[in-house]
Amino acid sequence: MKTVGIIGLGWTGLPLAQFLKSNSWEVIGSTTSDHKRLDLEQEGLNVVTLKMNPHPEGKGFQKLFQSEYLVINIPPRSRVQSSDFYLEQLKYLKSMINQAGAKKVLFVSSTGIYPTTPRAEAYDESFPITRENTGNPTLWDAEQMITNSAGFDLTIIRFGGLMGEERVPGKYFSGKEQVKGHTRVNYVHQDDAVRLIAWILEHDLWNEVYNGVAPIHPVKKEIFEKNAIDLNLAPPLSYQSPQPEEDRLIDSKKIIQTGFKFKYPDPLDFTYTLT
């Protein structure tokens, strides 16, 4: 039985743990509070407490790093933490990985790392990102830190906007004025994000970078209006006037070429659950 440690049982990490367990993986995951750990243990998951503050605090978290595979799924929390704090968290994590001798690590990043500049061609994994052109210096620094002098096989997955379940794009703009609705989206459904991580683990796709974005890119207005109809939401009251050449698209052909098939290739078909 393959063993995997998942650092961060959050919006993506928890369904990932459940999915892998249902597919005969031995899974151990981490959460930041004992209260949540106890709740998840009631659901039959093997959970330890790990809080990166930025040094590690918790109980039994060393078992995470003894897994054959490790998924790092703790995105930067820019609203409540400094970029330096996040990078310190990763520094400690990387040190523990190297000490424990874990051999295969999947690091969850974001397509926010690509430049914000629109261009005629979509951004793919071969695009040369530098600290000068990146759209998110913290993400760039994080990928550099986890990659440099790594004593393990490493694959990075850059997710687009994570949607599905209670994350409804149209809900965030319901009833608002002058909404930017003419640009095309780079979304990925929660189910596909989970399946994509599992695909990389199951097929041992190491020492690569993959974009995790639905291959179809409808405009925002189409999505907001469809959400309003399907979920009985108020649509935006008004939209900004369209501007030329504002699309910043992300290409996901590389992961598709490995044989991966998106369950939801078109964000207009995403499923949601209003809570």
Side-chain angles (χ1 to χ4, degrees):
M1 181 179 289
K2 292 182 177 180
T3 61
V4 60
I6 302 174
I7 300 175
L9 293 179
W11 195 77
T12 307
L14 177 55
L16 173 66
Q18 295 164 334
F19 180 86
L20 291 172
K21 185 182 177 186
S22 70
N23 284 275
S24 300
W25 283 71
E26 182 178 333
V27 181
I28 180 171
S30 77
T31 185
T32 57
S33 72
D34 287 331
H35 176 74
K36 187 174 181 183
R37 174 179 59 81
L38 293 172
D39 287 344
L40 294 177
E41 286 177 343
Q42 292 296 314
E43 298 180 20
L45 292 174
N46 186 6
V47 185
V48 296
T49 304
L50 173 63
K51 186 172 184 178
M52 303 302 297
N53 202 28
H55 54 280
E57 299 175 356
K59 301 175 184 176
F61 57 79
Q62 293 84 359
K63 291 184 290 185
L64 281 166
F65 302 92
Q66 296 166 5
S67 303
E68 183 181 358
Y69 299 82
L70 194 66
V71 177
I72 301 176
N73 188 32
I74 51 168
R77 300 169 62 195
S78 57
R79 294 179 182 176
V80 295
Q81 295 174 347
S82 69
S83 58
D84 288 344
F85 187 91
Y86 179 64
L87 296 174
E88 283 293 301
Q89 289 179 315
L90 293 183
K91 183 179 77 173
Y92 280 108
L93 281 175
K94 184 176 177 181
S95 175
M96 288 189 288
I97 294 168
N98 283 328
Q99 289 175 14
K103 297 301 182 185
K104 300 178 186 298
V105 177
L106 191 151
F107 180 70
V108 176
S109 185
S110 165
T111 57
I113 195 172
Y114 290 106
T116 57
T117 309
R119 64 198 296 256
E121 297 179 7
Y123 289 101
D124 65 15
E125 297 87 347
S126 67
F127 183 86
I129 305 173
T130 66
R131 205 173 194 284
E132 288 67 41
N133 69 18
T134 181
N136 189 317
T138 300
L139 285 175
W140 190 87
D141 288 341
E143 287 195 11
Q144 294 298 306
M145 173 175 287
I146 203 72
T147 302
N148 292 339
S149 301
F152 43 82
D153 287 328
L154 172 72
T155 283
I156 295 172
I157 181 164
R158 297 168 177 162
F159 282 127
L162 287 157
M163 298 296 172
E165 295 303 312
E166 77 284 359
R167 291 190 181 181
V168 184
K171 182 173 69 174
Y172 306 125
F173 298 95
S174 177
K176 296 188 176 180
E177 296 182 345
Q178 291 299 296
V179 171
K180 191 173 185 177
H182 55 277
T183 55
R184 292 190 284 170
V185 302
N186 298 290
Y187 289 164
V188 61
H189 192 280
Q190 182 190 53
D191 285 358
D192 280 327
V194 167
R195 291 175 58 251
L196 211 157
I197 294 174
W199 178 268
I200 291 170
L201 298 177
E202 289 167 350
H203 291 80
D204 280 318
L205 302 176
W206 298 109
N207 303 307
E208 298 285 354
V209 177
Y210 293 106
N211 293 331
V213 177
I216 299 174
H217 307 270
V219 299
K220 291 180 179 179
K221 182 178 179 179
E222 292 178 296
I223 294 175
F224 299 160
E225 299 290 332
K226 190 170 190 297
N227 289 166
I229 294 170
D230 292 348
L231 301 169
N232 196 29
L233 297 170
L237 293 176
S238 61
Y239 292 93
Q240 297 177 14
S241 298
Q243 301 295 321
E245 297 183 2
E246 280 198 278
D247 286 330
R248 171 187 168 274
L249 300 182
I250 308 299
D251 190 302
S252 57
K253 288 189 181 72
K254 183 177 177 180
I255 191 65
I256 293 172
Q257 288 169 352
T258 69
F260 180 80
K261 291 181 172 60
F262 282 86
K263 182 179 178 181
Y264 299 100
D266 188 344
L268 286 171
D269 297 328
F270 283 9
T271 57
Y272 299 100
T273 304
L274 279 181
T275 56

